[in-house]
Amino acid sequence: MQIRVGYELLYAFPRPTPVILTLSIHYSRVSDLVRPDHMLTSPPIPIRSYRDAFGNWCSRIVAPAGRLKISADTLVNDTGAPDVVATQAEEHPVDSLPEETLVFLLGSRYCETDLLSETAWCLFGQSPPGWGRVQAICDFVHRHIAFGYEFACPTKTAWEVFNERKGVCRDYAHLAIALCRCMNIPARYCTGYLGDIGVPPPHGPMDFSGWFEAYIGGQWHTFDARNNVPRIGRVLIARGRDAADVAISTTFGPNTLETFRVWTDEITRPLA
């Protein structure tokens, strides 16, 4: 199957402002691109790109004073298969984990392991290790939080959402990540496109989505505490410790986001 993905963002800047953007499709999906997901700006301005510490493809611009539109539109080949379920995936002792996973055991900006450790062990200390434990965490988070776009808050942490019991997809991911790390399971935040392919209507408004990956069974596996069922058509943009590492835009000055559109649509007739 093919999926059309893209975005259109319209900002207003009172003066020239440096911006870092994390909007390019992850390198692990580059071979699936039917055409490049080139970032376009209106008015046209120079764009510089680089790899961050997590391997994500980031872009740097200096936005001019006034309005700036940033957009991309591309097609992605996809298997159409749902997220992999590997119930036999085992947990690893910390001393046998690969070094590159260890950073994803530590607390981070939005995932306060120190505040949630005792709670995590009380809730999940008796759950089956490995896949079963991560799934138990997802089940808990899915039930514990009420979803609503009106609950979105850019500064909300895992500890806060645990106590408030309401949030958006990134909050589900942050709480699940923090609880996994408390149980000595490496977990990392993911952001990308996730449409409603295979999901019966009514469908909510389209947005970028947040989920997470846990390291069990010798590899990273996808989990989604918000939806809590295998989904079709995830298109990864970036991974990091939490949402602070993969913000779609980091602006170094005042600005207003006036328009925000994201699309993820299945193409019924594949296009070249």
Side-chain angles (χ1 to χ4, degrees):
M1 64 182 291
Q2 286 185 346
I3 307 172
R4 181 186 177 192
V5 299
Y7 57 85
E8 182 179 282
L9 313 176
L10 180 63
Y11 289 91
F13 294 91
R15 56 179 177 268
T17 305
V19 183
I20 297 173
L21 299 156
T22 308
L23 288 164
S24 298
I25 291 173
H26 196 261
Y27 70 84
S28 61
R29 296 300 303 267
V30 166
S31 62
D32 295 323
L33 294 178
V34 177
R35 58 175 183 251
D37 63 328
H38 290 316
M39 179 182 292
L40 304 176
T41 66
S42 179
I45 58 173
I47 301 174
R48 294 180 289 163
S49 298
Y50 69 97
R51 297 280 186 201
D52 70 8
F54 301 100
N56 305 312
W57 193 243
C58 304
S59 302
R60 299 177 64 182
I61 62 172
V62 176
R67 284 183 169 82
L68 176 69
K69 183 171 74 173
I70 304 168
S71 62
D73 185 35
T74 191
L75 294 172
V76 182
N77 288 324
D78 193 84
T79 64
D83 299 326
V84 172
V85 176
T87 56
Q88 302 306 309
E90 298 180 350
E91 210 166 299
H92 299 274
V94 172
D95 62 350
S96 68
L97 284 167
E99 283 74 16
E100 63 269 18
T101 68
L102 297 180
V103 68
F104 300 107
L105 283 177
L106 308 178
S108 57
R109 165 69 178 86
Y110 290 106
C111 301
E112 309 101 321
T113 52
D114 54 341
L115 298 179
L116 286 161
S117 181
E118 183 176 353
T119 297
W121 281 97
C122 287
L123 288 172
F124 308 110
Q126 301 304 312
S127 59
W131 185 280
R133 179 164 287 162
V134 181
Q135 188 57 57
I137 288 170
C138 288
D139 292 343
F140 169 81
V141 173
H142 182 75
R143 295 191 305 266
H144 189 74
I145 302 175
F147 180 85
Y149 288 107
E150 68 273 21
F151 305 139
C153 175
T155 61
K156 188 181 294 184
T157 67
W159 174 248
E160 290 170 333
V161 75
F162 174 75
N163 289 289
E164 294 178 13
R165 304 186 64 166
K166 55 188 179 182
V168 292
C169 59
R170 66 178 250 158
D171 301 312
Y172 286 75
H174 283 151
L175 181 54
I177 288 168
L179 294 171
C180 283
R181 293 176 183 173
C182 289
M183 302 305 297
N184 299 329
I185 300 172
R188 62 189 184 187
Y189 187 90
C190 300
T191 184
Y193 298 96
L194 178 62
D196 295 307
I197 298 169
V199 177
H203 300 147
M206 187 58 209
D207 195 353
F208 292 112
S209 184
W211 61 89
F212 76 102
E213 294 174 344
Y215 189 85
I216 49 177
Q219 64 186 86
W220 292 99
H221 290 276
T222 296
F223 289 89
D224 185 342
R226 158 70 179 102
N227 295 293
N228 208 30
V229 293
R231 294 288 295 270
I232 296 169
R234 291 185 198 274
V235 180
L236 180 67
I237 290 176
R239 299 183 178 112
R241 292 166 298 182
D242 57 34
D245 290 329
V246 297
I248 63 170
S249 65
T250 302
T251 57
F252 298 88
N255 66 91
T256 302
L257 178 59
E258 296 185 342
T259 301
F260 177 88
R261 289 202 308 123
V262 179
W263 51 89
T264 306
D265 302 309
E266 180 181 3
I267 302 299
T268 55
R269 291 182 75 181
L271 303 175

